[in-house]
Amino acid sequence: MNPPGPFEHGGNIHAVARLTGAAPGQLLDYSANINPLGLSVAVRDAVRTALDDIIHYPDAAAAALKSAISRRYGVQPALITCGNGAAELLYVLCQVRRPRRVLLAAPTFSEYERAARAAGAAVSYFPLTAEDGFRLDPDAFAARLAGVDIAFLCNPNNPTGCLIRRGEAETVIAAAARAGAWVVVDESFLDFLPDAADHTCRPLLAAYSNLIILQSLTKFYAIPGLRLGFLLADPAVGDILDRAKDPWNVNTLAQAAGVAALGDDAYRAASVAAVAAAREELVSGLAALPGVHPFPACANFVLARLAGTTAPVLRQAMLRDGILIRDCSNYPELSPAYIRLAVKLPDQNAALLAALGKNLKDGNP
């Protein structure tokens, strides 16, 4: 396969299957950051139960889903806008705001830039460096906000895995409020942290009308094929978004899945525990491989730097073993020396490490 294009993602298992002739189920996908526990029983049952309801239009108000989000995250339903995945809301947001300038930390999730450019914005990067462990300097970032209409913060950041403390985020949000800018904090991977409540920016919503929190439910609840996400913002922003989006953007099955998922406390606790244990073992295993430097991680993925080979070369070699890894060559501020790996279950991680070890042998996969 060719290296990924400017906005290409991991997880494109269908394209890989077409190219290789393998069935998608035969591939081990480490390029997409999805909960390794898979679908919860509650979600599977809810989707089956809701199947007969698809002869009706979905609830345009998504009332039950908003109630479930409200209970789970302790926010008022008036602050919630539901989306066909968080990415849909990202694009609607940029289309209604029509920003002239957007500021991004880099590397970060590429859809921020893609949505901003689709709305006609000029995009500026705030570089994060490996020497600093890819940590964001909130004061330096805030100093770049003059003339910016929207700034994006991904927390934890994809692909680096770095966490932004709430106080650090507030430094940026407060400066943005003074500069007349919106700050979109993407908390799509925060649920994987056992202490997520200590880091979320939700407590800041009452104080800052320029704060918008974006959250995908597809990663944590393993429903990327169903698509589901939501956004928290001042009701005035929500009203603008509601008028701009498809009124039936969240289908009946996704709404049912969301209600079931958000009420499944046992699945959530099991997921956090399983990912934390597997991540620790995976990082240790990667660090023991020759020419691999994993960076500290707190969510369900690990960024690693290679020495002696490149991500495109290693990706091709791993693909021959039926394993997809994320070549990070197309992230601004990252070189072809970087890969990102999802955290999966222990036996899958063992297979990954064995294949990496084989392909990295002698530094020449």
Side-chain angles (χ1 to χ4, degrees):
M1 291 184 70
N2 295 323
F7 296 112
E8 199 168 316
H9 300 281
N12 200 348
I13 197 167
H14 300 289
V16 173
R18 286 193 294 272
L19 282 170
T20 62
Q26 295 175 301
L27 299 167
L28 190 53
D29 186 8
Y30 269 85
S31 69
N33 306 323
I34 306 300
N35 188 330
L37 296 192
L39 270 185
S40 78
V41 173
V43 169
R44 191 182 299 275
D45 290 345
V47 170
R48 284 176 174 153
T49 300
L51 196 56
D52 287 340
D53 293 335
I54 63 172
I55 61 171
H56 306 294
Y57 282 98
D59 178 8
L65 178 58
K66 286 184 180 178
S67 293
I69 295 169
S70 174
R71 288 192 298 272
R72 165 69 182 91
Y73 293 102
V75 293
Q76 294 299 314
L79 304 181
I80 303 168
T81 302
C82 296
N84 181 30
E88 185 216 16
L89 297 173
L90 179 60
Y91 279 83
V92 174
L93 188 72
C94 286
Q95 291 297 327
V96 299
R97 180 67 195 260
R98 289 281 173 182
R100 292 163 299 170
R101 286 190 57 205
V102 164
L103 180 63
L104 305 174
T108 196
F109 182 48
S110 65
E111 287 302 320
Y112 309 142
E113 178 173 352
R114 189 174 183 180
R117 292 196 184 282
V123 174
S124 300
Y125 297 132
F126 179 87
L128 307 172
T129 65
E131 291 72 24
D132 292 332
F134 296 108
R135 295 203 61 81
L136 180 82
D137 181 334
D139 293 313
F141 189 85
R144 292 277 304 274
L145 287 169
V148 167
D149 297 302
I150 303 180
F152 287 92
L153 297 177
C154 187
N155 194 31
N157 188 33
N158 177 13
T160 65
C162 280
L163 184 68
I164 303 170
R165 307 289 173 186
R166 186 185 298 152
E168 295 173 328
E170 186 170 11
T171 296
V172 174
I173 296 162
R178 294 190 292 271
W182 286 358
V183 177
V184 179
V185 180
D186 185 348
E187 298 188 348
S188 291
F189 293 102
L190 203 55
D191 278 348
F192 285 100
L193 278 66
D195 56 349
D198 295 337
H199 305 298
T200 177
C201 285
R202 291 191 299 275
L204 304 178
L205 282 165
Y208 297 98
S209 62
N210 66 321
L211 168 61
I212 296 163
I213 297 175
L214 192 65
Q215 181 137 359
S216 166
L217 296 176
T218 63
K219 281 87 171 176
F220 189 85
Y221 294 102
I223 50 173
L226 203 52
R227 315 298 302 144
L228 188 60
F230 67 90
L231 176 153
L232 304 175
D234 185 280
V237 175
D239 287 343
I240 295 170
L241 294 172
D242 277 337
R243 289 196 294 271
K245 70 176 180 60
D246 173 357
W248 302 289
N249 61 331
V250 182
N251 68 68
T252 299
L253 301 182
Q255 291 191 34
V259 171
L262 291 164
D264 195 343
D265 294 338
Y267 173 88
R268 186 161 51 251
S271 298
V272 171
V275 167
R279 181 180 62 239
E280 186 174 340
E281 288 187 3
L282 178 60
V283 170
S284 296
L286 290 170
L289 293 173
V292 179
H293 172 75
F295 288 84
C298 61
N300 64 327
F301 54 87
V302 180
L303 181 72
R305 185 175 58 211
L306 305 173
T309 188
T310 66
V313 170
L314 182 60
R315 181 182 184 230
Q316 290 286 8
M318 295 293 287
L319 200 53
R320 289 193 285 274
D321 291 318
I323 299 176
L324 282 69
I325 63 173
R326 180 65 163 95
D327 169 3
C328 293
S329 301
N330 63 339
Y331 280 97
E333 302 297 331
L334 289 185
S335 73
Y338 289 88
I339 59 173
R340 190 198 63 202
L341 301 164
V343 174
K344 292 187 176 292
L345 300 176
D347 58 336
Q348 296 169 315
N349 292 339
L352 170 81
L353 291 169
L356 283 171
K358 180 192 71 173
N359 287 312
L360 289 167
K361 190 177 180 181
D362 300 326
N364 185 27

